[in-house]
Amino acid sequence: MIANFFQRLTAAKDAPLDAGDARLALAALLVRVARANDDYADSEVAKIDVILARHYPDLDASGAAALRLEAEEIEDSAHDTIKFTRSIKDAVDLDDRMEVVEALWELVLADGERDAEEEGALRLIAPLLGVNDRDSALARQRVEARLA
């Protein structure tokens, strides 16, 4: 299963990922950011499930949790953030990638703290998704306003 995913991810530069693989790549990216500070808290796990269920309305709570569990396995085996970002960039238009960056900021800010490692991971990931620093900062501000 995991090996097949990585084969499809590697081949994504030739053919865009299908919707299921793009979902899995996004979920793995969320997990990667949450784990950036080596403190994968229960609140982050719960936030990932909420983000996935909101981003993919056809997922209920158990479906979102199942996707996250699969993403955790994928993220454990992955050494390259660029593969995830490239597959999302190739499969998702810019407006939706902005939503991805906003979701990542929501995760980073979920515990009320701006953790340096998580924020650093996001500052690396956003440009790889084709989202510039200014737009990423605006996405962060929108999330902060919603959370206030």
Side-chain angles (χ1 to χ4, degrees):
M1 163 72 185
I2 292 174
N4 288 339
F5 175 75
F6 285 120
Q7 286 175 336
R8 292 189 306 272
L9 201 57
T10 303
K13 63 183 175 184
D14 299 323
L17 289 178
D18 67 30
D21 285 343
R23 282 182 184 203
L24 190 52
L26 170 59
L29 200 54
L30 287 164
V31 170
R32 174 141 301 175
V33 168
R35 289 180 170 172
N37 64 352
D38 296 323
D39 181 24
Y40 190 45
D42 290 341
S43 61
E44 292 171 315
V45 170
K47 182 54 96 172
I48 290 171
D49 290 353
V50 167
I51 290 170
L52 291 173
R54 186 180 65 236
H55 198 72
Y56 301 111
D58 62 316
L59 289 179
D60 60 10
S62 64
L67 178 59
R68 178 194 31 85
L69 286 170
E70 189 175 0
E72 290 171 350
E73 290 180 42
I74 294 292
E75 196 279 333
D76 281 340
S77 302
H79 303 290
D80 190 357
T81 302
I82 293 172
K83 287 182 183 178
F84 292 129
T85 55
R86 182 184 309 136
S87 63
I88 293 169
K89 186 176 177 184
D90 290 346
V92 177
D93 67 25
L94 181 59
D95 288 339
D96 290 336
R97 283 184 273 138
M98 285 297 301
E99 287 182 30
V100 168
V101 170
E102 208 164 301
L104 291 167
W105 274 115
E106 184 178 343
L107 178 62
V108 167
L109 300 170
D111 58 5
E113 298 178 21
R114 286 179 64 175
D115 181 86
E117 288 87 4
E118 292 175 347
E119 192 169 331
L122 182 46
R123 290 185 188 279
L124 169 75
I125 289 168
L128 294 172
L129 290 171
V131 175
N132 64 41
D133 288 339
R134 178 184 175 278
D135 288 338
S136 178
L138 291 171
R140 178 185 46 78
Q141 291 170 359
R142 286 190 298 274
V143 170
E144 287 173 332
R146 278 197 315 265
L147 296 176

